[in-house]
Amino acid sequence: MAKEPVRVLVTGAAGQIGYALVPMIARGVMLGTDQPVILHMLDIPPAAEALNGVKMELVDAAFPLLKGVVATTDAVEACTGVNIAVMVGGFPRKEGMERKDVMSKNVSIYKAQASALEQHAAPNCKVLVVANPANTNALILKEFAPSIPAKNITCLTRLDHNRALGQISEKLNVQVSDVKNVIIWGNHSSSQYPDVNHATVNTAAGEKPVRELVKDDAWLNGEFITTVQQRGAAIIKARKLSSALSAASSACDHIRDWVLGTPEGTWVSMGVYSDGSYNVPAGLIYSFPVTCRNGEWTIVQGLSIDEFSRKKLDLTAEELSEEKALAYSCLS
Ligand SMILES: NC(=O)c1ccc[n+]([C@@H]2O[C@H](COP(=O)([O-])OP(=O)(O)OC[C@H]3O[C@@H](n4cnc5c(N)ncnc54)[C@H](O)[C@@H]3O)[C@@H](O)[C@H]2O)c1
């Protein structure tokens, strides 16, 4: 028997990530090729015409899995009955703007959309925040949607995770699908810590630690980290636009693994509500290594953290605490 369609909300759907993301969802990249979907697309009134153009293209693409499209500038209509919400819409930092001004705009957007989701989304709706500052936007959403369980609100660091896998695969000249268990700790910002201390590569001789194969700790502790941290800026420099297809693809990876589960022996990075694991302050949305099963994520426990890593975990936590304080100051 055919499955019931899942309703997936994409906010900021007329933007560049949205344009890459909605066809992936309609093709089954996010939820599987046997899962029908109904797309809910939200944008703001100045983008309404462009949003309608995206809707026209979705119709023209005749995706077999796509059972309906809602394209609207009304947050309540957009959020009604959604099972999954991918929050891509936000206010970008423009030249000359203070950090606080950008934060204040996003705090008010995420406060309003939190209420719309809380009141109108389907029970147990899963939320992924992509728009920057992603961790703090997710935290504000959580605070203003108190009836949505904290475990249902996450932010995207899977793009950083995938970038780290890509760098290791290029360095070792191995397939990216043979590299696993890198970790992105902390903020989706340049303070994040891409950690390879537990990462492995599948080789003809079995699974080998990345450090043993790379044999270059200076590179792993230096250039590798900064390349992953600065990759977003490098893409902007090259494309004159920020990353879009890789962000959309990683958002699909994030939701797919969350809903359908991570493969045995593999973890992924997700920005989730900290419970104090690894001495990260509780109450931040912080990227951890997680495994997923039955639609729920669990932080991987018991990994050894050396002194070098400890400092980096703390540094990115400090930045998130500061962002949290700034966001709260915008509320008063
Ligand atoms: N977490 C990540 O890994 C990651 C990666 C890349 C980009 N991003 C972030 O994703 C966001 C989107 O990037 P983009 O390149 O698609 O930007 P974009 O400017 O092309 O699109 C953003 C869209 O959001 C819409 N929007 C603005 N306010 C809105 C609101 N209140 N409700 C609904 N829609 C709203 C805009 O009209 C626009 O269509 C940015 O914040 C970017 O920094 C995050």
Side-chain angles (χ1 to χ4, degrees), residues 174-299:
V174 297
Q175 297 296 321
V176 72
S177 53
D178 285 330
V179 188
K180 67 174 189 180
N181 296 351
V182 296
I183 304 167
I184 302 299
W185 298 97
N187 200 358
H188 169 69
S189 77
S190 55
S191 78
Q192 66 178 254
Y193 172 43
D195 175 3
V196 294
N197 287 337
H198 308 277
T200 60
V201 180
N202 191 18
T203 72
E207 266 182 19
K208 299 276 181 204
V210 162
R211 274 202 189 270
E212 191 180 307
L213 295 173
V214 171
K215 295 191 193 73
D216 185 351
D217 283 344
W219 182 80
L220 284 171
N221 295 345
E223 195 183 329
F224 162 75
I225 293 176
T226 49
T227 300
V228 176
Q229 288 173 334
Q230 306 289 339
R231 189 69 160 182
I235 304 279
I236 294 176
K237 190 159 177 272
R239 245 171 54 86
K240 320 289 179 249
L241 286 169
S242 60
S243 41
L245 88 84
S246 54
S249 178
S250 303
C252 290
D253 289 345
H254 176 114
I255 297 286
R256 190 197 56 240
D257 286 345
W258 189 3
V259 173
L260 300 176
T262 42
E264 197 58 46
T266 300
W267 64 66
V268 294
S269 303
M270 280 170 68
V272 298
Y273 195 61
S274 170
D275 61 353
S277 292
Y278 295 99
N279 289 322
V280 168
L284 296 175
I285 301 268
Y286 189 99
S287 180
F288 286 99
V290 301
T291 54
C292 304
R293 207 166 213 206
N294 301 326
E296 300 215 354
W297 53 264
T298 308
I299 297 174

Side-chain angles (χ1 to χ4, degrees), residues 9 11 79 84-89 103 106-119 121 125-131 133-155 258 273 285 327-328 331:
L9 166 67
T11 72
C79 293
I84 289 170
V86 187
M87 314 300 284
V88 185
M103 183 67 84
N106 283 300
V107 162
S108 63
I109 292 172
Y110 278 81
K111 195 175 155 187
Q113 294 183 354
S115 304
L117 277 173
E118 175 167 54
Q119 289 169 46
C125 174
K126 287 181 159 61
V127 182
L128 165 62
V129 178
V130 176
N135 303 55
T136 301
N137 286 343
L139 188 66
I140 292 297
L141 199 154
K142 186 218 150 273
E143 299 292 89
F144 287 93
S147 70
I148 301 181
K151 68 179 170 45
N152 285 25
I153 298 171
T154 64
C155 85
W258 189 3
Y273 195 61
I285 301 268
Y328 272 79
L331 289 168

Side-chain angles (χ1 to χ4, degrees), residues 12 14-17 42-44 47 88-90 109 113 130-132 134 156 159 188 242-243 247:
Q16 43 146 13
I17 294 177
L42 175 70
D43 214 296
I44 49 177
V88 185
I109 292 172
Q113 294 183 354
V130 176
N132 284 316
L156 187 71
L159 174 55
H188 169 69
S242 60
S243 41

